Amino acid sequence: MRRVLLILLWTSNLAQPYIPLAGEVQVLPPVNFTLTVSALGQVLLHWKPNPNQEHRNYTIRYDVKILSPVPEEYDTKRTYSIQSAALHNGFSAQLRTLLLHNSLQMSSEWVKEELPPLPGAPETSVTNLSCVTHISISSTVSLHCAWLPGQRAPGDTKYFLFYRYELYTEECQDYIQDKWQRNLECSFSVTHIDPEGLGKLLVIHINGSSKHAAIKPFQQLFDQNAIEKVNVPRNVTATLEQNDLLATWEKPISPLPKECFEYEFHLFNWKSGNKQTFKIPSNNFRSPIDVTSRYSIQVRANHHHICRARGVWSDWSEILSVGQTNLEDPTVWTVTVLCVSTCCAFLLVAIICKLNHVWSKLFPPIPTPSNKFRDLFPSDCERAPTCTSKTETMLSSFTEDLPCSVLDDFVF
Ligand SMILES: *[C@@H]1O[C@H](CO)[C@@H](O)[C@H](O)[C@H]1NC(C)=O
Ligand SMILES: *[C@@H]1O[C@H](CO)[C@@H](O)[C@H](O)[C@H]1NC(C)=O
Ligand SMILES: *[C@@H]1O[C@H](CO)[C@@H](O)[C@H](O)[C@H]1NC(C)=O
Ligand SMILES: *[C@@H]1O[C@H](CO)[C@@H](O)[C@H](O)[C@H]1NC(C)=O
């Protein structure tokens, strides 16, 4: 008996709408709930208060629950709400009335509405859409997007891209095509995107046409700050101060102040081949270095999270080199090594020749008695070294074909 009572209590708690509040008040759901596409990737949710709802001194609010594509729940006292969402796979939401009185809160039943998916054959939509924006020196924002055709999009499919930023919508006029003349990239050199906008949405809509199939449109929402490709740091310098390498640079072109950037710094040691990357919150870098080595540096920039969402890292700045010698790249290094070794070989040969010369003077090679002998065999032992000792034979075998006397004159 007691259990039944508990269950009854419990179920009646679940069926909250039917519990009278402060007497016999019923909470009724809103009426005429509609969903309307008000712009690209934007839905207007609109409803009316239930005309039979008692008011007295209750507070009435509405609980909105987005079911798809991205679930979200919030409440409002208005009778409308505007939502941005990718609508190609449809949109659905539900709504109920909330009645608040002192600390008591009651809610009505839900009413549900949905928008159907945008029409088109499956897998004809574009895939792998990516977009980046870029702030120019004149503070205008350019936009570039690229995508792949849907797997089942016929060969004659032509895609069209539109962007919406706040109230402004524009179609792309400047497409890049593949070899089948399908549009696969689009550029806007100037857009209505606010270069100082914070966390605002950029809606991209790509539909298409083909003689053989209905092309299903595709939409994607981007946070404008997250796709902003930061400009390269400017005026990068690198110098040596005693045993320190000192590098400085200016913030990239941007309406943001200098505190809003952070940097990645590449330091390459040509001698050890060691490459280091540092995260740097300021506009300079100082580090003790090996003064006998040459270094190369590069720097790139991104937004600091204290100002706004991370964007896309800038390109790396041009390579700058400092330190010993002018060996800026491995080819120069190779050429130098070759030069030095050639000179060494040349010098060695010259020394050998000179040695031969001195040796033959110190130890006159052929004693006089053998002169007769020599006369008998005039050609063989003409040059002394070959006849005197083993070392000499070895040395002279190096120099056999070299015009030693020329070298002697030249080097010594
Ligand atoms: C709801 O819509 C119907 C039909 O469009 C209309 O007759 C009715 O007046 C509307 N209700 C409210 C409260 O506006
Ligand atoms: C396209 O995206 C899919 C899924 O995100 C990924 O697996 C694939 O590698 C991408 N294709 C290209 C060519 O980038
Ligand atoms: C593509 O979408 C735009 C904007 O919604 C629309 O004006 C245009 O008619 C659509 N084109 C095709 C081929 O569906
Ligand atoms: C970079 O250097 C040039 C020439 O030294 C100078 O005119 C320019 O103002 C500098 N730019 C910045 C951003 O400091």
PDB file of all heavy atoms in Angstrom, residues 331-359:
ATOM      1  N   THR A 331      75.907  23.995 -49.779  1.00  0.00           N
ATOM      2  CA  THR A 331      76.652  23.979 -51.040  1.00  0.00           C
ATOM      3  C   THR A 331      77.893  24.860 -50.923  1.00  0.00           C
ATOM      4  O   THR A 331      78.968  24.478 -51.361  1.00  0.00           O
ATOM      5  CB  THR A 331      75.791  24.434 -52.228  1.00  0.00           C
ATOM      6  OG1 THR A 331      75.154  25.645 -51.869  1.00  0.00           O
ATOM      7  CG2 THR A 331      74.759  23.396 -52.619  1.00  0.00           C
ATOM      8  N   VAL A 332      77.717  26.024 -50.275  1.00  0.00           N
ATOM      9  CA  VAL A 332      78.855  26.911 -50.060  1.00  0.00           C
ATOM     10  C   VAL A 332      79.899  26.173 -49.229  1.00  0.00           C
ATOM     11  O   VAL A 332      81.090  26.198 -49.514  1.00  0.00           O
ATOM     12  CB  VAL A 332      78.407  28.205 -49.334  1.00  0.00           C
ATOM     13  CG1 VAL A 332      79.618  29.065 -49.006  1.00  0.00           C
ATOM     14  CG2 VAL A 332      77.420  28.978 -50.186  1.00  0.00           C
ATOM     15  N   TRP A 333      79.415  25.484 -48.223  1.00  0.00           N
ATOM     16  CA  TRP A 333      80.275  24.715 -47.320  1.00  0.00           C
ATOM     17  C   TRP A 333      81.058  23.669 -48.115  1.00  0.00           C
ATOM     18  O   TRP A 333      82.277  23.574 -48.019  1.00  0.00           O
ATOM     19  CB  TRP A 333      79.386  24.080 -46.259  1.00  0.00           C
ATOM     20  CG  TRP A 333      80.075  23.195 -45.262  1.00  0.00           C
ATOM     21  CD1 TRP A 333      79.813  21.887 -45.028  1.00  0.00           C
ATOM     22  CD2 TRP A 333      81.124  23.565 -44.365  1.00  0.00           C
ATOM     23  NE1 TRP A 333      80.624  21.421 -44.036  1.00  0.00           N
ATOM     24  CE2 TRP A 333      81.455  22.423 -43.625  1.00  0.00           C
ATOM     25  CE3 TRP A 333      81.836  24.744 -44.143  1.00  0.00           C
ATOM     26  CZ2 TRP A 333      82.448  22.422 -42.654  1.00  0.00           C
ATOM     27  CZ3 TRP A 333      82.830  24.737 -43.178  1.00  0.00           C
ATOM     28  CH2 TRP A 333      83.133  23.591 -42.442  1.00  0.00           C
ATOM     29  N   THR A 334      80.393  22.925 -48.976  1.00  0.00           N
ATOM     30  CA  THR A 334      81.031  21.880 -49.774  1.00  0.00           C
ATOM     31  C   THR A 334      82.094  22.478 -50.683  1.00  0.00           C
ATOM     32  O   THR A 334      83.215  21.970 -50.762  1.00  0.00           O
ATOM     33  CB  THR A 334      79.973  21.161 -50.645  1.00  0.00           C
ATOM     34  OG1 THR A 334      78.829  20.939 -49.851  1.00  0.00           O
ATOM     35  CG2 THR A 334      80.485  19.852 -51.188  1.00  0.00           C
ATOM     36  N   VAL A 335      81.738  23.558 -51.336  1.00  0.00           N
ATOM     37  CA  VAL A 335      82.674  24.210 -52.253  1.00  0.00           C
ATOM     38  C   VAL A 335      83.918  24.641 -51.488  1.00  0.00           C
ATOM     39  O   VAL A 335      85.048  24.423 -51.937  1.00  0.00           O
ATOM     40  CB  VAL A 335      81.987  25.424 -52.942  1.00  0.00           C
ATOM     41  CG1 VAL A 335      83.018  26.292 -53.656  1.00  0.00           C
ATOM     42  CG2 VAL A 335      80.919  24.942 -53.915  1.00  0.00           C
ATOM     43  N   THR A 336      83.702  25.200 -50.287  1.00  0.00           N
ATOM     44  CA  THR A 336      84.838  25.656 -49.492  1.00  0.00           C
ATOM     45  C   THR A 336      85.737  24.483 -49.111  1.00  0.00           C
ATOM     46  O   THR A 336      86.971  24.560 -49.223  1.00  0.00           O
ATOM     47  CB  THR A 336      84.342  26.351 -48.212  1.00  0.00           C
ATOM     48  OG1 THR A 336      83.327  27.245 -48.582  1.00  0.00           O
ATOM     49  CG2 THR A 336      85.472  27.080 -47.512  1.00  0.00           C
ATOM     50  N   VAL A 337      85.143  23.394 -48.662  1.00  0.00           N
ATOM     51  CA  VAL A 337      85.908  22.215 -48.270  1.00  0.00           C
ATOM     52  C   VAL A 337      86.735  21.726 -49.466  1.00  0.00           C
ATOM     53  O   VAL A 337      87.927  21.434 -49.342  1.00  0.00           O
ATOM     54  CB  VAL A 337      84.968  21.101 -47.749  1.00  0.00           C
ATOM     55  CG1 VAL A 337      85.703  19.766 -47.665  1.00  0.00           C
ATOM     56  CG2 VAL A 337      84.406  21.484 -46.391  1.00  0.00           C
ATOM     57  N   LEU A 338      86.107  21.693 -50.621  1.00  0.00           N
ATOM     58  CA  LEU A 338      86.798  21.263 -51.836  1.00  0.00           C
ATOM     59  C   LEU A 338      87.997  22.150 -52.124  1.00  0.00           C
ATOM     60  O   LEU A 338      89.101  21.667 -52.407  1.00  0.00           O
ATOM     61  CB  LEU A 338      85.834  21.298 -53.021  1.00  0.00           C
ATOM     62  CG  LEU A 338      85.110  19.977 -53.284  1.00  0.00           C
ATOM     63  CD1 LEU A 338      84.060  20.148 -54.369  1.00  0.00           C
ATOM     64  CD2 LEU A 338      86.117  18.906 -53.674  1.00  0.00           C
ATOM     65  N   CYS A 339      87.794  23.455 -52.040  1.00  0.00           N
ATOM     66  CA  CYS A 339      88.849  24.429 -52.318  1.00  0.00           C
ATOM     67  C   CYS A 339      90.017  24.212 -51.384  1.00  0.00           C
ATOM     68  O   CYS A 339      91.171  24.107 -51.810  1.00  0.00           O
ATOM     69  CB  CYS A 339      88.327  25.855 -52.083  1.00  0.00           C
ATOM     70  SG  CYS A 339      87.612  26.530 -53.549  1.00  0.00           S
ATOM     71  N   VAL A 340      89.680  24.125 -50.062  1.00  0.00           N
ATOM     72  CA  VAL A 340      90.717  23.983 -49.047  1.00  0.00           C
ATOM     73  C   VAL A 340      91.496  22.691 -49.291  1.00  0.00           C
ATOM     74  O   VAL A 340      92.730  22.687 -49.275  1.00  0.00           O
ATOM     75  CB  VAL A 340      90.093  24.017 -47.627  1.00  0.00           C
ATOM     76  CG1 VAL A 340      91.115  23.591 -46.585  1.00  0.00           C
ATOM     77  CG2 VAL A 340      89.554  25.402 -47.335  1.00  0.00           C
ATOM     78  N   SER A 341      90.797  21.593 -49.578  1.00  0.00           N
ATOM     79  CA  SER A 341      91.525  20.329 -49.747  1.00  0.00           C
ATOM     80  C   SER A 341      92.387  20.346 -51.009  1.00  0.00           C
ATOM     81  O   SER A 341      93.484  19.784 -51.030  1.00  0.00           O
ATOM     82  CB  SER A 341      90.574  19.133 -49.713  1.00  0.00           C
ATOM     83  OG  SER A 341      89.420  19.415 -50.441  1.00  0.00           O
ATOM     84  N   THR A 342      91.914  21.016 -52.057  1.00  0.00           N
ATOM     85  CA  THR A 342      92.718  21.125 -53.276  1.00  0.00           C
ATOM     86  C   THR A 342      94.012  21.883 -52.974  1.00  0.00           C
ATOM     87  O   THR A 342      95.112  21.466 -53.361  1.00  0.00           O
ATOM     88  CB  THR A 342      91.939  21.863 -54.387  1.00  0.00           C
ATOM     89  OG1 THR A 342      90.635  21.345 -54.423  1.00  0.00           O
ATOM     90  CG2 THR A 342      92.607  21.724 -55.730  1.00  0.00           C
ATOM     91  N   CYS A 343      93.873  22.977 -52.244  1.00  0.00           N
ATOM     92  CA  CYS A 343      95.049  23.773 -51.891  1.00  0.00           C
ATOM     93  C   CYS A 343      96.028  22.953 -51.066  1.00  0.00           C
ATOM     94  O   CYS A 343      97.245  23.005 -51.275  1.00  0.00           O
ATOM     95  CB  CYS A 343      94.633  25.015 -51.093  1.00  0.00           C
ATOM     96  SG  CYS A 343      93.753  26.188 -52.126  1.00  0.00           S
ATOM     97  N   CYS A 344      95.496  22.183 -50.119  1.00  0.00           N
ATOM     98  CA  CYS A 344      96.343  21.355 -49.268  1.00  0.00           C
ATOM     99  C   CYS A 344      97.128  20.350 -50.108  1.00  0.00           C
ATOM    100  O   CYS A 344      98.342  20.179 -49.912  1.00  0.00           O
ATOM    101  CB  CYS A 344      95.508  20.600 -48.238  1.00  0.00           C
ATOM    102  SG  CYS A 344      94.959  21.665 -46.915  1.00  0.00           S
ATOM    103  N   ALA A 345      96.431  19.699 -51.015  1.00  0.00           N
ATOM    104  CA  ALA A 345      97.067  18.695 -51.865  1.00  0.00           C
ATOM    105  C   ALA A 345      98.193  19.347 -52.667  1.00  0.00           C
ATOM    106  O   ALA A 345      99.313  18.825 -52.743  1.00  0.00           O
ATOM    107  CB  ALA A 345      96.034  18.074 -52.795  1.00  0.00           C
ATOM    108  N   PHE A 346      97.886  20.510 -53.190  1.00  0.00           N
ATOM    109  CA  PHE A 346      98.839  21.275 -53.985  1.00  0.00           C
ATOM    110  C   PHE A 346     100.103  21.570 -53.168  1.00  0.00           C
ATOM    111  O   PHE A 346     101.222  21.343 -53.597  1.00  0.00           O
ATOM    112  CB  PHE A 346      98.126  22.565 -54.420  1.00  0.00           C
ATOM    113  CG  PHE A 346      98.932  23.459 -55.305  1.00  0.00           C
ATOM    114  CD1 PHE A 346      99.081  23.157 -56.659  1.00  0.00           C
ATOM    115  CD2 PHE A 346      99.503  24.621 -54.805  1.00  0.00           C
ATOM    116  CE1 PHE A 346      99.799  24.000 -57.480  1.00  0.00           C
ATOM    117  CE2 PHE A 346     100.231  25.457 -55.626  1.00  0.00           C
ATOM    118  CZ  PHE A 346     100.376  25.147 -56.960  1.00  0.00           C
ATOM    119  N   LEU A 347      99.861  22.025 -51.922  1.00  0.00           N
ATOM    120  CA  LEU A 347     100.935  22.384 -51.019  1.00  0.00           C
ATOM    121  C   LEU A 347     101.783  21.157 -50.686  1.00  0.00           C
ATOM    122  O   LEU A 347     103.012  21.203 -50.682  1.00  0.00           O
ATOM    123  CB  LEU A 347     100.333  22.966 -49.735  1.00  0.00           C
ATOM    124  CG  LEU A 347     101.164  24.053 -49.073  1.00  0.00           C
ATOM    125  CD1 LEU A 347     101.156  25.300 -49.937  1.00  0.00           C
ATOM    126  CD2 LEU A 347     100.596  24.365 -47.693  1.00  0.00           C
ATOM    127  N   LEU A 348     101.102  20.033 -50.410  1.00  0.00           N
ATOM    128  CA  LEU A 348     101.770  18.788 -50.045  1.00  0.00           C
ATOM    129  C   LEU A 348     102.732  18.367 -51.153  1.00  0.00           C
ATOM    130  O   LEU A 348     103.903  18.057 -50.925  1.00  0.00           O
ATOM    131  CB  LEU A 348     100.720  17.707 -49.792  1.00  0.00           C
ATOM    132  CG  LEU A 348     101.264  16.417 -49.187  1.00  0.00           C
ATOM    133  CD1 LEU A 348     101.656  16.652 -47.728  1.00  0.00           C
ATOM    134  CD2 LEU A 348     100.243  15.306 -49.286  1.00  0.00           C
ATOM    135  N   VAL A 349     102.181  18.421 -52.366  1.00  0.00           N
ATOM    136  CA  VAL A 349     102.988  18.038 -53.523  1.00  0.00           C
ATOM    137  C   VAL A 349     104.205  18.941 -53.620  1.00  0.00           C
ATOM    138  O   VAL A 349     105.339  18.485 -53.809  1.00  0.00           O
ATOM    139  CB  VAL A 349     102.135  18.108 -54.809  1.00  0.00           C
ATOM    140  CG1 VAL A 349     103.020  18.030 -56.048  1.00  0.00           C
ATOM    141  CG2 VAL A 349     101.095  17.001 -54.815  1.00  0.00           C
ATOM    142  N   ALA A 350     104.006  20.210 -53.394  1.00  0.00           N
ATOM    143  CA  ALA A 350     105.105  21.155 -53.473  1.00  0.00           C
ATOM    144  C   ALA A 350     106.160  20.843 -52.432  1.00  0.00           C
ATOM    145  O   ALA A 350     107.363  20.864 -52.711  1.00  0.00           O
ATOM    146  CB  ALA A 350     104.566  22.570 -53.287  1.00  0.00           C
ATOM    147  N   ILE A 351     105.688  20.519 -51.208  1.00  0.00           N
ATOM    148  CA  ILE A 351     106.624  20.188 -50.123  1.00  0.00           C
ATOM    149  C   ILE A 351     107.430  18.954 -50.502  1.00  0.00           C
ATOM    150  O   ILE A 351     108.656  18.916 -50.330  1.00  0.00           O
ATOM    151  CB  ILE A 351     105.854  19.958 -48.797  1.00  0.00           C
ATOM    152  CG1 ILE A 351     105.336  21.299 -48.274  1.00  0.00           C
ATOM    153  CG2 ILE A 351     106.746  19.283 -47.753  1.00  0.00           C
ATOM    154  CD1 ILE A 351     104.351  21.184 -47.136  1.00  0.00           C
ATOM    155  N   ILE A 352     106.748  17.985 -51.036  1.00  0.00           N
ATOM    156  CA  ILE A 352     107.428  16.747 -51.427  1.00  0.00           C
ATOM    157  C   ILE A 352     108.523  17.043 -52.442  1.00  0.00           C
ATOM    158  O   ILE A 352     109.670  16.583 -52.333  1.00  0.00           O
ATOM    159  CB  ILE A 352     106.410  15.733 -51.993  1.00  0.00           C
ATOM    160  CG1 ILE A 352     105.557  15.195 -50.840  1.00  0.00           C
ATOM    161  CG2 ILE A 352     107.109  14.582 -52.708  1.00  0.00           C
ATOM    162  CD1 ILE A 352     104.281  14.541 -51.285  1.00  0.00           C
ATOM    163  N   CYS A 353     108.196  17.858 -53.388  1.00  0.00           N
ATOM    164  CA  CYS A 353     109.159  18.229 -54.425  1.00  0.00           C
ATOM    165  C   CYS A 353     110.375  18.906 -53.812  1.00  0.00           C
ATOM    166  O   CYS A 353     111.523  18.592 -54.127  1.00  0.00           O
ATOM    167  CB  CYS A 353     108.517  19.176 -55.430  1.00  0.00           C
ATOM    168  SG  CYS A 353     107.417  18.294 -56.536  1.00  0.00           S
ATOM    169  N   LYS A 354     110.047  19.844 -52.872  1.00  0.00           N
ATOM    170  CA  LYS A 354     111.119  20.595 -52.245  1.00  0.00           C
ATOM    171  C   LYS A 354     112.033  19.649 -51.473  1.00  0.00           C
ATOM    172  O   LYS A 354     113.255  19.746 -51.531  1.00  0.00           O
ATOM    173  CB  LYS A 354     110.488  21.643 -51.309  1.00  0.00           C
ATOM    174  CG  LYS A 354     111.478  22.654 -50.801  1.00  0.00           C
ATOM    175  CD  LYS A 354     111.903  23.606 -51.916  1.00  0.00           C
ATOM    176  CE  LYS A 354     112.969  24.588 -51.415  1.00  0.00           C
ATOM    177  NZ  LYS A 354     113.541  25.337 -52.534  1.00  0.00           N
ATOM    178  N   LEU A 355     111.375  18.707 -50.735  1.00  0.00           N
ATOM    179  CA  LEU A 355     112.123  17.724 -49.956  1.00  0.00           C
ATOM    180  C   LEU A 355     113.075  16.962 -50.866  1.00  0.00           C
ATOM    181  O   LEU A 355     114.258  16.790 -50.583  1.00  0.00           O
ATOM    182  CB  LEU A 355     111.164  16.734 -49.287  1.00  0.00           C
ATOM    183  CG  LEU A 355     110.762  17.100 -47.846  1.00  0.00           C
ATOM    184  CD1 LEU A 355     109.773  16.084 -47.316  1.00  0.00           C
ATOM    185  CD2 LEU A 355     111.998  17.182 -46.959  1.00  0.00           C
ATOM    186  N   ASN A 356     112.564  16.513 -51.956  1.00  0.00           N
ATOM    187  CA  ASN A 356     113.360  15.775 -52.938  1.00  0.00           C
ATOM    188  C   ASN A 356     114.600  16.559 -53.316  1.00  0.00           C
ATOM    189  O   ASN A 356     115.714  16.043 -53.366  1.00  0.00           O
ATOM    190  CB  ASN A 356     112.541  15.541 -54.213  1.00  0.00           C
ATOM    191  CG  ASN A 356     111.648  14.315 -54.044  1.00  0.00           C
ATOM    192  OD1 ASN A 356     111.837  13.558 -53.084  1.00  0.00           O
ATOM    193  ND2 ASN A 356     110.730  14.133 -54.963  1.00  0.00           N
ATOM    194  N   HIS A 357     114.313  17.832 -53.530  1.00  0.00           N
ATOM    195  CA  HIS A 357     115.352  18.735 -53.964  1.00  0.00           C
ATOM    196  C   HIS A 357     116.452  18.825 -52.914  1.00  0.00           C
ATOM    197  O   HIS A 357     117.632  18.599 -53.188  1.00  0.00           O
ATOM    198  CB  HIS A 357     114.691  20.096 -54.180  1.00  0.00           C
ATOM    199  CG  HIS A 357     115.493  21.008 -55.026  1.00  0.00           C
ATOM    200  ND1 HIS A 357     115.684  20.785 -56.373  1.00  0.00           N
ATOM    201  CD2 HIS A 357     116.156  22.145 -54.719  1.00  0.00           C
ATOM    202  CE1 HIS A 357     116.424  21.747 -56.853  1.00  0.00           C
ATOM    203  NE2 HIS A 357     116.741  22.590 -55.877  1.00  0.00           N
ATOM    204  N   VAL A 358     116.022  19.098 -51.626  1.00  0.00           N
ATOM    205  CA  VAL A 358     116.965  19.262 -50.528  1.00  0.00           C
ATOM    206  C   VAL A 358     117.733  17.958 -50.304  1.00  0.00           C
ATOM    207  O   VAL A 358     118.944  17.938 -50.138  1.00  0.00           O
ATOM    208  CB  VAL A 358     116.212  19.681 -49.252  1.00  0.00           C
ATOM    209  CG1 VAL A 358     117.110  19.623 -48.031  1.00  0.00           C
ATOM    210  CG2 VAL A 358     115.627  21.066 -49.426  1.00  0.00           C
ATOM    211  N   TRP A 359     116.990  16.856 -50.297  1.00  0.00           N
ATOM    212  CA  TRP A 359     117.544  15.521 -50.069  1.00  0.00           C
ATOM    213  C   TRP A 359     118.674  15.247 -51.062  1.00  0.00           C
ATOM    214  O   TRP A 359     119.774  14.872 -50.710  1.00  0.00           O
ATOM    215  CB  TRP A 359     116.429  14.482 -50.268  1.00  0.00           C
ATOM    216  CG  TRP A 359     116.731  13.179 -49.575  1.00  0.00           C
ATOM    217  CD1 TRP A 359     117.555  12.188 -50.000  1.00  0.00           C
ATOM    218  CD2 TRP A 359     116.204  12.752 -48.330  1.00  0.00           C
ATOM    219  NE1 TRP A 359     117.594  11.180 -49.106  1.00  0.00           N
ATOM    220  CE2 TRP A 359     116.759  11.490 -48.054  1.00  0.00           C
ATOM    221  CE3 TRP A 359     115.330  13.312 -47.395  1.00  0.00           C
ATOM    222  CZ2 TRP A 359     116.464  10.769 -46.902  1.00  0.00           C
ATOM    223  CZ3 TRP A 359     115.036  12.582 -46.277  1.00  0.00           C
ATOM    224  CH2 TRP A 359     115.589  11.328 -46.031  1.00  0.00           C
TER     225      TRP A 359
END
